Structure formats: C-alpha cells, structure tokens
Amino acid sequence: MDKLDLLLRSVQKPARYIGNEVNSIHKNKADVDFRMAMCFPDVYEVGMSHLGLKILYGVINEIDGMWCERVFCPHDDMEQKLKDNAMPLFALESGDPITHFDALGFTLQTEMSFTNVLNILELGHIPLKSEDRGEDMPFVIGGGPCAYNPEPVHSFFDMFNLGEGEEMLPNLLIKIRECKKKGLSRLDTLKECAKLDGIYVPSFYEVDYNDDGTIKGRRTLVPEAKDTITKQVVKDLSAMYYPDKFIVPFCEVVHDRAMLEVFRGCTRGCRFCQAGQLYRPIREKSVEALNEQAKKLISTTGYEEMSLTSLSTSDYTRLFELIDMLNSWCEKDMISLSLPSLRVDNFSMELMDRVQKVRKGGLTFAPEAGSQRMRDIINKNVTEEQLRNTCRIAFKGGWHTIKLYFMMGLPYETEEDVMGIGKLGYTVLEEYFKGIREGEYTKDGGVNIRLSVACFIPKPFTPFQWVGQDTKENLRKKQIALKGSVHSKKITVHYHDSDISVLEAVLARGDRRLAPVIETAFKNGCKMDNWDDHFKYDVWLDALEQHGLSKEFYANRVRDFDEILPWDFIDIGVSKAHLVREAKKSMEAATTADCRTRCQGCGADKLCGGYCHAKG
Amino acid sequence: MQKVRIYFTKTGRAKYISHLDLMRTFMRAIKRSGVKIKYTEGFNPHPHMVFGNPLSLGYESIAEICEVKLIDDVALKDVKDAINAQMPEGIEIRDVLPIKKELKQIGYCRYRITIEDKNAFSDNDVKSIVGLFSGDKLEIVKKSKSSEKTMDILPLIAEFDCALQEDKLVITAAVSFNTNISLNPDHILKAIAEKTDILSDEYYATFLKVATLDYELNDFR
C-alpha cells in the first residue's frame, strides 16, 4: 500500500492524478541531467486542453538528456489530502516533488491564474519570492500572454520568456544547464540568461514612481540587463517543431481532440484584442506540412475529432484546400474536423459542409457590439446585414441554436449601444421567422438565441490600453437595462460576473506595486480566481487597501498617451505609434481595413526581417 | 464480420480509470491499432463496443470483458497483439476469442479481497469470519440516498473462503454479478466490520476480480 494510493482512493476522479497516460514521456533518471516541470496554473482538465503545453512538453523532451514533466493545480479535495498527509505537490510522470527539478515553467494564460501560481509554489515547498530562493531551488520561469505585462508578478519569477517557446525555451534551458555544469551561482546564471534575446530577469531592474502613482522611470541594476526586451518569433512555421504525439488523457478534459495550429497572428485589427497584436506578424503553415502533422497526430492518438486552431482559422488563405486535403482521408477514418471559431463575415455552407458535419449543438459568432457605431469604434468590421445573412445560412443548414458574444463597457459606449445588443437578438429572431415564411426551412423544434455579454477589460499592447474600464455601477445598470429590454422566450441574455472583470482589469494593466497585493490576497485564501465558487472579491479589495492602492487607479483611470506604461520596456513588434493611431481613430469611430487589403504599417514585420504573410 | 470478445486486465494505477474513461481508452487504442471495428449507424456514429458490467472504481481485475465486431478477416492473435500494443500501463489484453457463451449467461464474479490492519489477524479471526458467512442469514443495512433497507447477503454469495496470509486476511468469494442482482463485495467487508470487532477503523482493503463465472460457477468464456 503506497501513500499515494491511500490519497487516491478518497478523492474525486483520481484518474487525473495518476499520470501514465498514452504518449506521456518517461525517461530514465540516470540518463537525464536536466529536469523541467511545465506547471499549468489550473486544474488537469484545463491544462490538458491547452495546445501550448503540448508543444512545449514535446519540444523540451526532444532535447537529449532533458526530461519535461507536468504539474497541475490539485482540486480542493486532493489539495486538502496532500496537506493532511504532509505530501508536497508532485509532477505526474515521476511522482517527484517539484523541488527536485532544475526549472519550473508557468504559462500565464490569464491574470486570474496568478494566485494559482503561488499555490503551486507553496504546495511544492518553494519560496514564493525569487529573492528568497536558495541555490538548490529550481529556476521559476514565466511565459504566455500575461508575461507581456509581467510586472504585477515580477517578484515571484526568476525570469520571463517573452516570445514563441518552440525555439527560445530550449535555448534558455540549454543555457541554464550549461551554467549548472560550470557550477555558476544562481545570480551568475540569471546574468547569463539575461544576455539571451527575449529573456527578462525582473530582479535586474528597479522602477521609480511619481507622486501621482504613475511611473517615473526604470533603471537597470546590472550591465547584462537590456533596456528593451524584444519578443522572439519563429519565422518559418512549416519547418518549426510540432508534436507528432499528444498525451491522451484518461478522463474527460475540456478539449479532448487532435489540434492543428494553422497560422499565427491575425489581420483583422480589432482594437480590444490583445492576442491579435501579440502574435503578429502573420505567418502561415503550408497545407502540405499541416496534412503531414495531422496524419501523424491521428495515428499516435486515435482521436476521432481534429480542430483547426488559430486566432481566426477561417482567414487562413488556403482554407478550402486544406480542409479538402484532410477530408480526403479523414472521412473514411471517421474523423470529424472542427473550427473553434467562426466569423460573421465569411460564413458559408461550402465551409460548413466540410466541417462540423454533425449538426449538434449551436453555432457561435462574435459581433462583440450592439450598434454599428460601436463596432466601428472597436474595429470589428461586421455589419447587421452580414449577421442576418450568416444566421439565415445557419438556420438553413439545420442549426437552430445561435450564440452571439458581445462585450459591454466598451470605450465611448452609450446606453443606446448596449440596448443595440438586445435589438440584434430580435433582428436574428426576425430573420429566423422570415426564413420559415419564405419556405427555406421548417420550424422543427424552434429557435434558441443566446446573447452572452462579457465586461470589456482594457489590455496592454492594444489600442485600448489607455482607456478606463467602465465602473462596476455603470456595468450593473447596463446589464439590468439590457435584460429588461428582452422579453422573448426565444432569446436569453447571459452575463459574466463583473467583480471578476474588475479584478482582471486591475491586474492586466498593473505595475510592480501589485505583487505584494497578490501575495496578501493569496495568503488570505484567494486562489482559483477564475472560478465563481472560489473568487473572493472582498479579500482582494482588502488586500489592495492594505497596501494603499486603489482599484480605480488601475482599472478605471484614463492614461495619457505619453504616460510610461509598466510594459513599455517590451517590444512586441507592433509599434506604440501604430497603437496610438488606432486609438485616435477609434475616437472618431473610424475603421481600419484588414491587413490583407492594405498593410497598416504596424511594425511587427521587422521581427521577421520585413516579412509578414499578409503583405502578400 | 465477426463478433469477438476481448478479455483484459485492469490493474495497478489503471484501477483509478472510471468506466467511461475506460470506454474512451479502448476506443482510441483500437483506432490506433488499425484494427477495424464496426461503428453504429445514424447521425453520430461511434465504435460499437459492449462492455461487461462496470467494475467499481478502485478495484483491480484480471477478468474484464469487451465485445466488438471485427470488419476484416484477421487472425485473432494478430488482433490481440495489435490492440495490446496500444494499451496504457495497467490494461493488458489477455485474449481475443470468438464468442461461445452470451453475456447474459454471466452469473457471478469471484473476488479476492486482501485486508491489512494495524493489528495482526489470528486464526480465531478467520474462524469467526467463516462462521459469519456460513450461518442461515447475514443481514446488513443498505443505505441509499432516499432510504435504508436491510438485505440478506448470504444468498448472493455462492462461494466463500477466508485464510491468513502472513499478516493479511485473504477472502475469496464468488458474489452475484448479473442483470438481476449484483452484490458489491464491499458489503462483505461492511458485514465483518458491523457484526464483529475484528477490524479497526483504519483497515485497508484491496479488491481484485479474479474470474467471471456463469450461473454454474464455471469460468465464463
């Protein structure tokens, strides 16, 4: 009887803690001189759905002598059992405590996972702060979208990996291993890492503040620290590493299917969207490379579904060619293709006939705003006519459930814009009945229109990084008004919790002074902040107050264009000048065309020596 | 098309894989193996697999069953090897055989229950337990969400043996396991815990299904 068995018998869904899944990698410790643990700061079911984790797990395990394992947040019951039995958090493959590793990598997908990072460190018996870690502690590395404003969590990480991990993460780990072999101290190792492009070591910098709380300036503390950290990108996606195997989980996870990453970047330029800016310049994978990757993945996993993943898959220039090539063997092997997202302006039956052949569930589209004026302000170039046409095609195609995603609290928004969301719901409903009258389809079970409205959160590196988030009071007023304006049983309106949105807005554009706030909130019980049943808004507010900071300063304050922002020291390719131009255009509700229509000169192409696929 | 029965084990850490998880595991393993099996018809085709009654989560077994319909005419040994190569650790294919007895002829399951406790067991303990299970009846209280029922479990136990193995107790019992009524072998432990003072609060038991039997207690094959 081993200790873990005793724990596993008394927790829910023990299969998520046993490891040993098909395609998980087990190496002989005697052959390994460097151990990495990829720590996903959420539970197994969420982490195992994440493509980035699969890619990095695979690419690091390709390196001779290196072994990469996985760590996830335990669910509450397991966490309690670990604590009751004085068992430290362990990695799934070896079962070893995370202190046994040379490096821990955290992918920061959302600000609401920050306290989970601290929880993993604490459960693993690793000092929360970089400065408290001794020579024998693993290096704690952060990456992912939130790493592009790393400042609120700067004190918990030894370094950040800013850029695409396929090439730079192996380089970083090889460098750390080299330093370990040479017997360099922790400090000297950090200095060597700071010399690498795209690596940010927060402890080598100091930030000074003005009396009004804005940033006065930054100083480097060692000569190895660069003034600007430039995001690293992979130039040739077709030649780039892609896993030929995915770990196949035993238990149900959020996304359990083969995934093909089709291209990086987005040409639409929606002004609220951080990912669209962060992953520029546009780079596509060739159809041939994708087909080969697909064949390998299916043969090693046995998955029956494959999704074509990217920020806007239907914008891939050779989409039909790709889908037809995949279907030539997928159909007879009973493998269905799916697209994770669809656009209102290029939806067609030609597309749907090739993917999502099983007409189950609903279709989701994202008009994002209720009025044309508002959609122009955010540069979501979608018209009401396009929405009506698209929904008509969907109804004809047999989908009678339509989900529409919106945001409220957008910059320069009026109540009329918000009420427009309800009106659009009715417009779609009208279109449904029109189609029946015109004989295009029959009622067959009725229609279901779901309006899902999130609260807008301004993010770094977007044209909206200077605006204020709408206040919680205004957001509540708008939610109530909107809900009150929709009376049809066929239209449902759903909201996201505005408290979580306020906190996300605080952390997203936060500065270094928030790090003690996060630590205090965690120590007072905050974790799993993304989960409604765990989120403790009052504890967060208390933590802010305790450290003399206000949520209004971070979330609601409008910044001047010349204010020094906490993330200004990072160069993601897209220039600040471009973001300012877009911000000014948004004030006039002026739109910017898709990059493929005309290059807007965002500047990201410089990262690829002037290349961007959209430039043609 | 040939209907075959796959006999497999589920041991070690694989005992924590739930029944639904197991079905998914099989589906994908068979797909990876290249062995072609029949799919269901209709809007949402999926592989046609029939499993025996589910094994409780946390129990090990060397006598599990799954039935599929092979599309191609292949040697069953090759099918066994191909699928076995795709199974994760803890699940092993023992045999792939044509079907003789139908699933509905399954009557009992033989379990080996191994018990350890902080105090050593004695021959007297063994005698008491054997005595408990050779009386006229043995009633336990079966609690469900809505009610409590008393149930006599003796008629549901066709074979019973208890022995000492070093400091552990080993009970071998054939319990009813069919579509009419099934007895979870856990109830055997509950009966011992309730009716005797042999077990402390901290006993630890493992369950291993060693055989699937027909109504005559012969091996089900």
Side-chain angles (χ1 to χ4, degrees):
Chain A
M1 166 200 32
D2 79 49
K3 212 168 178 193
L4 184 60
D5 253 325
L6 211 51
L7 261 57
L8 290 178
R9 323 186 107 198
S10 54
V11 296
Q12 295 279 332
K13 300 201 186 153
R16 11 185 212 209
Y17 307 110
I18 59 178
N20 268 313
E21 307 97 318
V22 171
N23 296 329
S24 61
I25 295 181
H26 296 83
K27 295 192 181 182
N28 192 341
K29 281 186 223 179
D31 302 329
V32 169
D33 59 7
F34 192 90
R35 296 181 70 184
M36 168 75 161
M38 279 301 302
C39 304
F40 194 94
D42 208 318
V43 295
Y44 181 90
E45 293 94 312
V46 176
M48 284 304 290
S49 307
H50 187 245
L51 180 57
L53 176 63
K54 299 175 205 290
I55 295 173
L56 296 180
Y57 181 82
V59 78
I60 297 166
N61 274 316
E62 291 279 300
I63 305 171
D64 235 342
M66 280 203 190
W67 188 14
C68 180
E69 302 180 49
R70 295 159 298 151
V71 176
F72 301 99
C73 291
H75 282 255
D76 287 339
D77 58 353
M78 182 60 159
E79 181 174 324
Q80 194 54 54
K81 292 281 167 188
L82 289 173
K83 286 180 175 158
D84 290 344
N85 287 276
M87 264 184 86
L89 187 62
F90 55 91
L92 283 185
E93 282 75 358
S94 63
D96 288 339
I98 63 176
T99 37
H100 290 207
F101 290 78
D102 296 291
L104 306 177
F106 286 86
T107 174
L108 305 171
Q109 294 295 309
T110 154
E111 294 82 0
M112 309 315 279
S113 68
F114 290 165
T115 50
N116 287 345
V117 172
L118 298 185
N119 198 28
I120 288 178
L121 290 174
E122 190 172 84
L123 286 174
H125 300 176
I126 293 180
L128 300 184
K129 297 223 261 289
S130 167
E131 65 196 10
D132 295 330
R133 289 173 201 142
E135 296 294 315
D136 56 339
M137 282 288 135
F139 286 97
V140 179
I141 308 168
C146 294
Y148 291 95
N149 178 21
E151 299 296 86
V153 286
H154 76 286
S155 49
F156 312 120
F157 286 89
D158 297 308
M159 58 190 115
F160 288 93
N161 184 91
L162 296 174
E164 294 166 1
E166 286 90 347
E167 285 169 9
M168 67 181 299
L169 189 56
N171 285 341
L172 175 64
L173 299 182
I174 288 170
K175 175 63 70 180
I176 298 176
R177 177 169 66 178
E178 209 177 274
C179 294
K180 178 179 159 191
K181 287 208 172 107
K182 288 191 188 147
L184 293 188
S185 69
R186 198 174 179 86
L187 177 61
D188 285 336
T189 303
L190 289 176
K191 284 182 179 167
E192 287 303 302
C193 294
K195 290 182 193 164
L196 296 172
D197 290 328
I199 302 298
Y200 169 51
V201 179
S203 57
F204 292 162
Y205 303 81
E206 196 74 69
V207 177
D208 303 308
Y209 299 89
N210 294 315
D211 291 330
D212 64 0
T214 57
I215 292 175
K216 190 166 165 191
R218 286 172 66 93
R219 291 176 278 129
T220 57
L221 301 175
V222 301
E224 292 86 351
K226 303 188 182 78
D227 287 321
T228 303
I229 311 285
T230 305
K231 177 187 88 179
Q232 299 299 295
V233 298
V234 177
K235 294 179 179 57
D236 184 352
L237 293 196
S238 298
M240 175 182 74
Y241 170 82
Y242 197 73
D244 56 6
K245 297 185 164 81
F246 280 177
I247 297 177
V248 183
F250 288 124
C251 59
E252 239 184 289
V253 297
V254 180
H255 296 305
D256 200 7
R257 54 198 180 207
M259 295 171 196
L260 275 190
E261 186 188 7
V262 170
F263 76 102
R264 283 187 187 172
C266 184
T267 54
R268 301 293 184 145
C270 301
R271 293 174 180 139
F272 55 85
C273 178
Q274 184 189 51
Q277 307 292 335
L278 284 182
Y279 295 101
R280 291 182 177 197
I282 313 304
R283 289 146 295 144
E284 290 195 348
K285 269 194 209 179
S286 71
V287 172
E288 295 73 24
L290 286 168
N291 197 36
E292 284 313 302
Q293 289 171 358
K295 286 195 173 134
K296 287 208 192 96
L297 269 184
I298 294 294
S299 71
T300 57
T301 58
Y303 273 128
E304 53 290 341
E305 192 189 326
M306 182 155 58
S307 106
L308 305 181
T309 302
S310 57
L311 293 175
S312 186
T313 302
S314 52
D315 285 341
Y316 178 66
T317 53
R318 295 164 73 187
L319 184 66
F320 283 100
E321 198 188 322
L322 173 65
I323 292 176
D324 288 342
M325 192 182 283
L326 292 172
N327 268 333
S328 72
W329 55 273
C330 283
E331 269 178 344
K332 58 178 163 59
D333 287 351
M334 313 292 282
I335 294 152
S336 64
L337 297 178
S338 65
L339 299 183
S341 62
L342 299 166
R343 279 202 65 100
V344 173
D345 56 9
N346 61 17
F347 181 74
S348 66
M349 269 328 281
E350 286 79 37
L351 178 62
M352 298 319 281
D353 277 337
R354 289 163 163 84
V355 301
Q356 262 149 262
K357 304 199 178 203
V358 180
R359 305 282 195 259
K360 57 179 172 171
L363 288 182
T364 305
F365 299 101
E368 303 291 12
S371 67
Q372 194 57 51
R373 171 184 165 266
M374 203 60 243
R375 285 193 296 274
D376 291 345
I377 288 173
I378 64 177
N379 205 40
K380 184 86 189 194
N381 293 316
V382 153
T383 64
E384 195 174 298
E385 193 187 329
Q386 283 168 332
L387 181 62
R388 274 191 281 111
N389 288 341
T390 288
C391 288
R392 175 73 79 99
I393 296 172
F395 295 140
K396 259 172 87 170
W399 287 278
H400 288 207
T401 297
I402 304 280
K403 263 203 313 212
L404 299 175
Y405 282 166
F406 293 94
M407 281 180 283
M408 69 162 66
L410 291 163
Y412 325 120
E413 181 182 81
T414 64
E415 190 167 303
E416 204 185 305
D417 296 314
V418 176
M419 301 305 259
I421 294 173
K423 292 208 185 106
L424 269 186
Y426 276 107
T427 300
V428 170
L429 189 61
E430 232 173 75
E431 190 63 32
Y432 173 76
F433 287 122
K434 217 168 140 211
I436 292 179
R437 284 198 303 272
E438 287 168 15
E440 297 210 306
Y441 44 85
T442 56
K443 208 162 172 207
D444 192 27
V447 71
N448 197 341
I449 296 164
R450 187 182 155 123
L451 308 175
S452 191
V453 191
C455 298
F456 166 65
I457 296 161
K459 293 273 168 155
F461 291 114
T462 62
F464 289 153
Q465 66 182 8
W466 293 278
V467 306
Q469 187 190 43
D470 209 350
T471 63
K472 202 177 120 170
E473 293 65 39
N474 276 354
L475 289 171
R476 275 309 282 146
K477 264 195 232 149
K478 288 172 180 174
Q479 281 173 353
I480 292 167
L482 177 57
K483 198 138 195 182
S485 73
V486 175
H487 308 287
S488 166
K489 285 212 179 87
K490 303 191 188 336
I491 306 175
T492 51
V493 186
H494 293 260
Y495 297 107
H496 289 215
D497 190 292
S498 55
D499 287 346
I500 293 184
S501 303
V502 171
L503 185 65
E504 197 178 324
V506 169
L507 294 173
R509 292 180 303 163
D511 55 34
R512 290 192 161 204
R513 294 170 304 178
L514 286 180
V517 173
I518 296 170
E519 194 174 339
T520 298
F522 167 68
K523 292 214 163 103
N524 291 339
C526 289
K527 62 178 175 174
M528 299 287 185
D529 296 310
N530 232 356
W531 299 60
D532 276 334
D533 55 1
H534 281 77
F535 182 59
K536 299 181 166 79
Y537 191 52
D538 291 331
V539 179
W540 275 102
L541 291 184
D542 275 338
L544 275 165
E545 203 186 306
Q546 219 181 299
H547 293 277
L549 297 169
S550 85
K551 64 177 179 355
E552 289 78 13
F553 178 86
Y554 294 102
N556 313 108
R557 185 174 61 95
V558 176
R559 282 82 162 151
D560 286 329
F561 285 133
D562 53 13
E563 180 176 325
I564 299 175
L565 302 169
W567 52 91
D568 275 349
F569 67 96
I570 298 173
D571 182 0
I572 61 156
V574 174
S575 68
K576 200 177 214 187
H578 175 75
L579 296 178
V580 171
R581 271 198 304 270
E582 283 297 302
K584 289 184 172 158
K585 278 175 95 170
S586 76
M587 295 176 194
E588 319 286 316
T591 59
T592 297
D594 186 295
C595 302
R596 290 190 193 281
T597 312
R598 196 170 76 105
C599 175
Q600 305 296 329
C602 73
D605 58 346
K606 71 166 196 266
L607 296 175
C608 283
Y611 170 80
C612 170
H613 193 270
K615 278 158 86 176
Chain B
M1 217 164 353
Q2 192 190 14
K3 199 168 172 194
V4 294
R5 187 174 290 144
I6 303 172
Y7 295 86
F8 64 97
T9 70
K10 188 170 180 271
T11 59
R13 287 276 157 84
K15 68 184 182 240
Y16 295 116
I17 301 173
S18 77
H19 191 69
L20 278 178
D21 294 343
L22 183 70
M23 287 164 64
R24 254 194 303 272
T25 301
F26 258 75
M27 198 159 80
R28 289 169 184 160
I30 292 175
K31 214 169 171 121
R32 286 193 300 272
S33 70
V35 172
K36 293 204 169 59
I37 64 172
K38 183 167 190 291
Y39 273 61
T40 60
E41 321 270 312
F43 271 129
N44 197 5
H46 50 269
H48 192 266
M49 296 186 303
V50 180
F51 283 80
N53 281 351
L55 184 67
S56 294
L57 189 63
Y59 290 9
E60 293 180 281
S61 169
I62 54 174
E64 292 306 287
I65 298 168
C66 171
E67 293 181 355
V68 296
K69 289 190 184 143
L70 299 176
I71 291 182
D72 299 327
D73 204 3
V74 238
L76 294 189
K77 178 168 190 307
D78 293 338
V79 170
K80 172 186 162 210
D81 291 339
I83 298 178
N84 202 24
Q86 297 301 329
M87 283 297 171
E89 203 184 299
I91 300 181
E92 199 189 300
I93 312 294
R94 301 178 78 184
D95 265 313
V96 175
L97 298 171
I99 293 174
K100 292 202 186 114
K101 295 179 185 165
E102 295 290 323
L103 285 180
K104 61 183 179 210
Q105 291 173 267
I106 296 177
Y108 295 86
C109 251
R110 187 179 290 126
Y111 277 92
R112 185 187 311 145
I113 308 170
T114 310
I115 311 168
E116 42 187 284
D117 206 341
K118 54 184 184 195
N119 301 317
F121 295 106
S122 70
D123 284 317
N124 273 337
D125 292 335
V126 174
K127 280 206 190 96
S128 303
I129 291 173
V130 172
L132 184 66
F133 284 86
S134 39
D136 292 323
K137 62 179 176 178
L138 178 53
E139 278 179 350
I140 57 152
V141 176
K142 207 176 175 190
K143 288 195 186 114
S144 69
K145 277 183 200 157
S146 47
S147 61
E148 272 186 19
K149 277 193 284 196
T150 38
M151 187 172 77
D152 180 9
I153 63 174
L154 275 190
L156 303 175
I157 303 174
E159 262 177 25
F160 189 89
D161 187 65
C162 180
L164 263 186
Q165 215 176 68
E166 291 160 8
D167 52 347
K168 302 190 181 126
L169 269 182
V170 178
I171 294 174
T172 310
V175 297
S176 205
F177 189 76
N178 53 64
T179 45
N180 294 325
I181 186 151
S182 290
L183 179 69
N184 190 323
D186 199 35
H187 290 305
I188 291 177
L189 279 184
K190 287 208 178 87
I192 298 174
E194 261 171 54
K195 313 279 181 188
T196 74
D197 53 9
I198 295 171
L199 300 174
S200 80
D201 286 332
E202 292 164 29
Y203 76 85
Y204 178 81
T206 58
F207 295 80
L208 172 67
K209 187 199 285 185
V210 293
T212 305
L213 309 167
D214 62 18
Y215 283 98
E216 286 80 47
L217 296 177
N218 293 321
D219 229 356
F220 176 80
R221 274 271 156 163

